[in-house]
């Protein structure tokens, strides 16, 4: 999970000129109070205090919360809490922008940490920014739809909302001898949330055509029966061809087609990142999907424009990726069709969209008394940038630049 | 004179068409907000790819789901 992915993505957005067509905002740093809206207080306190220097004295808690455990997948590192707070802040800010009807699509590629549990880190996810953003959306929207196209099952989000009918989680993932091991077809939710957890377990080698053959009927039915007021998408890029850990074979166009399809329903969307372990391809994928959000994907040229990190996009220096011709797609129709049929049958069990009783709307999460005044202003347009001088012209990053 | 009025009406209609075309075009373009913080402080150790896809964990047991693991208590 390399932060370099975000810088590479940003460079593509700059060099393709996409930043001129959208509002570029600096996320706030989420406060412990905000994080504890989902996460356990003990867990957040632990994340605040743990560092490589305090690791030994906090060993028992580290074992309990699965952070910094030898051989585990969630290492302890300097700046952990700050980094995760910023990732979460962007997702919460996105939800607030959507709630205020100030944006149709919000993008936070540093978010999408879908494995984190209420009191446990997992799969390099410490804070579940997705759950936090959905909770924020639920203040204004009776129903929120979560769609996960990361190759790994979105277990943390599913578990958080497994017993409610106000959130439907739909995950398309590789299943069988694969992390995290959850996401079976029969996991459909529990209690009031029955049939509101949708799992589409798939096999190796998924290509564009099969993915489309799967997500279009499922999502069409989901929108018809659930009628969400907002959508959150985890666009993990480990499902595209050539990923270091993934085993699917989709192109950028195939992956982005899911985002484009969701847009057609006219519901506000939050696009979040997620997995993706070949950084240059992750950047390609998320830059493409930002263009999809803007409706400009067909205008992107296949040559990587010159940028500060241009050499990272070698050796091809082409934008689009070719699926691997030698990879076998094990998702044959005889495997996929019964799954889609079963999912559609389950969704038919929902008799109309669930309703919500009148209740007080909790206030928006804004840190009125944040320590760092710049972190308390998520609406602040990003104007100066020490790391990236090429887009420092504040006027070009501001709202309203639509040319 | 009638011809002049017809021309005038035609102009108005054309102008309306142009206006409507512009507004519908604007409606098609989504207003997109993009969140990015370039100065995130991270240590070099964060750059290490430690995501493991080999570990298998049990799927969540329905019986174990409660407000202690779900977001139910905040809904």
């Amino acid at each position: 999970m390399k932060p370099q992915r975000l810088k590479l993505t940003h460079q593509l957005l700059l060099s393709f000129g996409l930043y001129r067509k959208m509002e570029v905002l600096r996320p706030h740093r989420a406060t412990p109070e905000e994080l504890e809206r989902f996460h356990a207080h003990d867990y957040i306190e632990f994340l605040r205090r743990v560092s490589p220097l305090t690791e030994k004295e906090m060993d028992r808690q580290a074992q309990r919360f699965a952070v910094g455990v030898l051989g585990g997948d969630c290492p302890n590192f300097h700046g952990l809490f700050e980094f995760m707070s910023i990732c979460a802040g962007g997702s919460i800010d996105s939800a607030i922008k959507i709630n205020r009807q100030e944006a149709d699509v919000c993008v936070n590629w540093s978010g999408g940490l879908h494995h984190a549990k209420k009191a446990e880190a997992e799969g390099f996810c410490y804070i579940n920014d997705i759950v936090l953003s959905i909770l924020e959306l639920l203040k204004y929207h009776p129903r929120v739809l979560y769609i996960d196209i990361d190759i790994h099952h979105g277990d943390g989000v599913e578990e958080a909302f497994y017993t409610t009918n106000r959130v439907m989680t739909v995950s398309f993932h590789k299943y069988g001898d694969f992390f995290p091991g959850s996401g079976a077809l029969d996991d459909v939710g529990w209690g009031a949330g029955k049939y509101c957890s949708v799992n589409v377990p798939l096999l190796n080698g998924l290509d564009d055509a099969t993915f489309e053959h799967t997500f279009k009927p499922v999502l069409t039915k989901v929108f018809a029966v659930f009628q969400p007021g907002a959508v959150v998408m985890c666009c993990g890029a480990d499902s595209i061809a050539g990923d270091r850990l993934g085993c699917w074979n989709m192109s950028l166009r195939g992956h982005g087609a899911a985002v484009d399809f969701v847009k057609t329903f006219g519901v506000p969307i939050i696009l979040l990142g997620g997995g993706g372990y070949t950084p240059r391809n992750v950047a390609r994928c998320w830059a493409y999907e930002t263009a999809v959000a803007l409706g400009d994907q067909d205008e992107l040229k296949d040559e990587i424009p010159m940028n500060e990190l241009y050499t990272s996009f070698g050796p091809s220096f082409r934008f689009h990726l070719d699926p691997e011709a030698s990879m076998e797609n094990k998702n044959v129709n005889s495997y996929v069709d019964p799954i889609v049929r079963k999912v559609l049958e389950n969704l038919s069990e929902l008799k109309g969209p669930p309703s919500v009783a009148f209740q007080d709307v909790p206030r928006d999460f804004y840190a009125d008394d944040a320590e760092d005044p710049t972190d308390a202003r998520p609406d602040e347009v990003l104007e100066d940038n020490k790391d990236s001088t090429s887009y420092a012209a504040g006027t070009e990053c501001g709202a309203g630049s639509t040319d | 004179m009638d011809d002049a009025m017809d021309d005038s009406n035609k102009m108005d209609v054309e102008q309306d068409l142009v206006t409507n075309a512009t507004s519908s075009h604007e409606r098609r373009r989504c207003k997109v907000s993009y969140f990015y913080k370039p100065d995130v402080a991270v240590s070099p150790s964060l750059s290490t790819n430690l995501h493991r896809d080999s570990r298998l964990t049990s799927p969540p047991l329905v019986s174990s789901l409660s407000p202690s693991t779900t977001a139910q208590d905040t809904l």
Side-chain angles (χ1 to χ4, degrees):
Chain A
M1 190 72 78
K2 300 182 178 181
Q4 180 76 353
R5 307 177 312 164
L6 305 175
K7 287 186 178 174
L8 288 168
T9 305
H10 193 67
Q11 284 300 318
L12 287 182
L13 299 183
L14 295 177
S15 53
F16 275 122
L18 294 173
Y19 72 101
R20 292 196 196 95
K21 301 174 182 177
M22 57 191 181
E23 192 180 30
V24 181
L25 300 168
R26 189 193 303 271
H28 83 296
R29 192 187 308 169
T31 63
E33 183 197 14
E34 290 174 83
L35 303 177
E36 287 172 24
R37 186 150 161 75
F38 170 58
H39 291 286
H41 174 73
D42 290 355
Y43 178 57
I44 295 301
E45 279 302 302
F46 166 77
L47 290 181
R48 287 179 74 182
R49 289 186 287 118
V50 73
S51 77
L53 298 175
T54 60
E55 196 170 47
K56 283 192 176 174
E57 61 196 69
M58 300 179 77
D59 186 50
R60 283 185 66 182
Q61 283 183 297
Q63 294 284 340
R64 178 181 161 201
F65 297 128
V67 174
V69 179
L70 190 64
D73 53 11
C74 295
N76 176 13
F77 56 89
H78 285 293
L80 185 158
F81 187 72
E82 184 190 6
F83 180 70
M84 290 300 155
S85 301
I86 293 169
C87 295
S91 298
I92 295 169
D93 291 340
S94 297
I96 291 171
K97 292 287 283 186
I98 295 291
N99 284 344
R100 291 180 173 181
Q101 300 180 0
E102 292 174 353
D104 302 309
V105 182
C106 286
V107 180
N108 175 29
W109 295 127
S110 70
L113 305 175
H114 58 167
H115 296 306
K117 304 291 171 54
K118 191 164 187 167
E120 185 183 341
E122 182 186 301
F124 207 78
C125 302
Y126 302 78
I127 298 290
N128 200 317
D129 62 293
I130 304 170
V131 172
L132 293 167
S133 69
I134 291 173
L135 288 173
E136 192 65 35
L137 288 169
L138 288 173
K139 291 176 181 175
Y140 288 75
H141 300 277
R143 293 172 300 282
V144 175
L145 172 62
Y146 171 67
I147 303 168
D148 193 321
I149 58 172
D150 186 291
I151 196 171
H152 300 96
H153 177 233
D155 57 341
V157 185
E158 180 185 90
E159 182 173 315
F161 299 113
Y162 206 67
T163 58
T164 180
N165 57 9
R166 292 192 61 194
V167 179
M168 180 174 281
T169 60
V170 182
S171 180
F172 300 85
H173 50 268
K174 150 80 176 159
Y175 184 73
D177 195 22
F178 199 70
F179 181 88
S182 50
L185 179 62
D186 294 336
D187 294 341
V188 295
W190 179 254
K194 192 170 184 184
Y195 302 120
C196 288
S197 293
V198 177
N199 285 299
V200 184
L202 297 163
L203 304 175
N204 285 5
L206 185 75
D207 61 16
D208 293 353
T210 312
F211 185 50
E212 183 177 350
H213 179 68
T214 308
F215 76 74
K216 279 195 170 175
V218 169
L219 292 181
T220 300
K221 183 76 173 177
V222 162
F223 274 92
V225 300
F226 191 65
Q227 298 179 19
V231 176
V232 178
M233 279 190 86
C234 174
C235 302
D238 43 12
S239 39
I240 57 174
D243 188 77
R244 202 150 74 88
L245 294 185
C247 51
W248 283 357
N249 202 20
M250 280 194 280
S251 70
L252 304 187
R253 291 187 180 92
H255 200 263
V259 177
D260 205 26
F261 187 65
V262 171
K263 268 183 69 185
T264 62
F265 292 94
V267 174
I269 307 170
I270 297 176
L271 296 179
L272 304 175
Y277 306 95
T278 304
R280 60 182 182 277
N281 292 347
V282 175
R284 286 174 164 101
C285 180
W286 291 346
Y288 182 77
E289 282 163 7
T290 308
V292 170
L294 290 161
D296 286 349
Q297 66 269 37
D298 295 334
E299 293 173 22
L300 298 182
K301 291 180 180 167
D302 198 26
E303 295 163 12
I304 298 283
M306 190 54 67
N307 62 70
E308 289 178 10
L309 301 172
Y310 180 76
T311 54
S312 303
F313 295 97
S316 74
F317 299 102
R318 284 180 54 224
F319 181 61
H320 281 284
L321 300 170
D322 295 321
E324 294 172 29
S326 59
M327 183 179 269
E328 181 191 0
N329 180 7
K330 297 197 172 177
N331 300 280
V332 292
N333 284 352
S334 59
Y335 173 79
V336 170
D337 288 346
I339 289 175
V340 172
R341 204 158 40 241
K342 180 64 180 170
V343 167
L344 298 182
E345 281 173 18
N346 288 343
L347 288 167
S348 295
E349 296 291 332
L350 285 174
K351 306 298 181 195
S355 59
V356 179
F358 283 114
Q359 54 188 312
D360 288 337
V361 177
R363 67 178 178 84
D364 291 344
F365 259 128
Y366 269 155
D368 297 330
D369 52 356
E371 291 171 13
D372 179 352
T374 61
D375 285 339
R377 287 180 283 146
D379 285 339
E380 177 188 30
V381 174
L382 188 56
E383 289 185 353
D384 60 356
N385 179 345
K386 290 172 187 170
D387 290 349
S388 183
T389 53
S390 56
Y391 77 116
T395 51
E396 288 189 322
C397 296
S401 297
T402 54
D403 55 329
Chain B
M1 188 169 173
D2 285 347
D3 286 344
M5 280 183 69
D6 285 347
D7 283 348
S8 170
N9 286 339
K10 195 176 172 185
M11 289 285 284
D12 287 343
V13 170
E14 282 176 356
Q15 187 58 47
D16 283 345
L17 283 173
V18 170
T19 307
N20 287 336
T22 305
S23 58
S24 62
H25 171 73
E26 284 170 355
R27 275 199 299 274
R28 277 200 302 276
R29 178 177 283 288
C30 283
K31 185 176 180 192
V32 179
S33 295
Y34 162 67
F35 288 89
Y36 180 70
K37 188 153 188 168
D39 51 348
V40 173
V42 289
S43 73
S45 62
L46 189 58
S47 298
T48 309
N49 186 340
L50 286 156
H51 195 295
R52 301 168 65 216
D53 64 345
S54 57
R55 194 180 83 174
L56 287 170
T57 58
S58 301
L61 294 171
V62 167
S63 58
S64 72
L65 288 165
S66 68
S68 65
T69 60
T70 69
Q72 191 64 40
D73 53 340
T74 53
L75 289 173

